[in-house]
Amino acid sequence: MRKIVKLVGSGLFVALFALLLPAFAVSAVEYEDVPVSMEFSVSRSVDYGRLVGDTTYFHIRPFSDANGAVEVEWDAKTATARVFCPELTVEATVGKPYIVANGRVLYTGRENFTDDGKLFVPARSICKAFGFELIWNEETRSVHVNNYGVPIEDAESYYDENDLYWLSRIISCEAGGTEPLLGQIAVGNVVLNRVEDESSPDTVYDVIFDKRFGVQFTPAYTPSIYKEPYEISVIAAKICLEGYSVSEDALFFYAPKYVYAAWIEDNREYLFTIGGHKFFA
């Protein structure tokens, strides 16, 4: 076992591709080297796998180079790597729990990190971006990548434009300025869970503007719903539309700091609290 350095805040590091990273704080974490083999590769075994906890990471540059990257660039100001392939663009930022592939947000909850100037990203995310199959072998504690298939579908054709528009705006209104990313995802989950619930309307728009039993989302009936959403709220909406769910049971939430929702407290099952919101089934 070795020690890796996982970026979580300030301190100075040697950057990927011989550039300097911005200042970040560090904490030492243990990792295990993971052998990686690929189905179609001149070098079938490569040394860029890391196992941190239960998550396998790949060093993004050699993985991308081995699979058709035309260019890999590094933005030192934002600590972001960008990979350019003929049909795929990937962005990965140090400390973020997701990567962006062809405009789509692939969330794992596991942060991208650097080790000795190398940027590592969750293996399943980068494989999904490239359209590859990843196979974990528990016996040999190794990874095999079937590197065939096509890159991930782009955001414009994958996301429903209307759903993304309204979901990002209600998330922004309800949680965008104050809540952590996971809390914003949970707010989006509530909307999508209601779309699937038999007692609620069956579109994102109709759920947000539903007032059959009283206004459900107050911002929907204020000018704020039409404001440009926070960028992080658009990211949260995309994560929700990718199918990631904090809870498939959450149907209600409210912020105790601003209001006491007696009906929810008395009639719905409490699930959890994220940031300033309590969530209920």
Side-chain angles (χ1 to χ4, degrees):
M1 302 287 287
R2 300 181 185 175
K3 294 286 184 181
I4 66 170
V5 174
K6 182 180 182 183
L7 296 174
V8 294
S10 91
L12 192 61
F13 286 86
V14 178
L16 183 67
F17 317 146
L19 294 175
L20 292 178
L21 285 172
F24 289 99
V26 300
S27 61
V29 223
E30 290 187 345
Y31 73 69
E32 178 181 343
D33 288 320
V34 174
V36 181
S37 61
M38 291 187 290
E39 192 74 19
F40 301 107
S41 176
V42 175
S43 175
R44 289 180 174 272
S45 183
V46 288
D47 179 27
Y48 53 66
R50 301 284 186 271
L51 183 65
V52 182
D54 61 355
T55 302
T56 302
Y57 286 81
F58 286 164
H59 179 196
I60 192 170
R61 182 161 197 172
F63 178 84
S64 301
D65 285 343
N67 290 291
V70 175
E71 181 182 2
V72 181
E73 66 178 28
W74 175 253
D75 185 336
K77 290 184 179 180
T78 61
T80 299
R82 294 184 180 89
V83 176
F84 299 94
C85 300
E87 298 179 11
L88 176 68
T89 300
V90 176
E91 292 188 3
T93 300
V94 174
K96 299 296 185 184
Y98 57 82
I99 66 173
V100 180
N102 282 348
R104 290 172 59 181
V105 182
L106 307 182
Y107 177 87
T108 63
R110 304 292 193 270
E111 294 180 0
N112 308 316
F113 68 87
T114 59
D115 174 28
D116 192 27
K118 302 170 183 176
L119 178 63
F120 287 83
V121 299
R124 292 197 181 277
S125 292
I126 193 71
C127 282
K128 182 175 180 178
F130 276 83
F132 299 161
E133 178 187 20
L134 183 147
I135 302 171
W136 167 257
N137 187 317
E138 180 62 34
E139 183 177 349
T140 61
R141 299 188 71 74
S142 63
V143 165
H144 180 74
V145 178
N146 290 325
N147 54 333
Y148 50 78
V150 296
I152 194 169
E153 183 181 353
D154 66 86
E156 289 187 2
S157 59
Y158 181 79
Y159 299 126
D160 180 283
E161 183 179 1
N162 194 56
D163 287 351
L164 180 59
Y165 180 95
W166 290 112
L167 189 60
S168 61
R169 277 159 176 73
I170 197 63
I171 291 173
S172 186
C173 290
E174 294 280 10
T178 57
E179 296 302 303
L181 176 59
L182 192 64
Q184 295 189 51
I185 294 170
V187 167
N189 290 158
V190 167
V191 175
L192 295 183
N193 290 345
R194 288 194 181 194
V195 170
E196 297 300 321
D197 188 74
E198 293 182 357
S199 64
S200 297
D202 57 6
T203 71
V204 169
Y205 177 89
D206 289 337
V207 163
I208 292 171
F209 288 91
D210 183 20
K211 58 177 182 179
R212 293 170 301 156
F213 307 107
V215 172
Q216 301 296 300
F217 297 91
T218 302
Y221 290 90
T222 70
S224 62
I225 193 66
Y226 300 103
K227 292 182 178 179
E228 194 69 20
Y230 290 100
E231 181 181 358
I232 191 64
S233 299
V234 176
I235 289 170
K238 288 183 175 181
I239 291 170
C240 292
L241 293 172
E242 288 288 341
Y244 183 86
S245 181
V246 177
S247 170
E248 295 181 354
D249 298 320
L251 294 171
F252 298 87
F253 69 90
Y254 80 96
K257 180 179 179 180
Y258 302 106
V259 64
Y260 179 73
W263 182 88
I264 294 178
E265 290 283 358
D266 294 342
N267 295 278
R268 310 304 301 194
E269 177 189 357
Y270 169 76
L271 296 175
F272 50 81
T273 296
I274 301 178
H277 285 133
K278 295 178 70 175
F279 292 84
F280 298 78

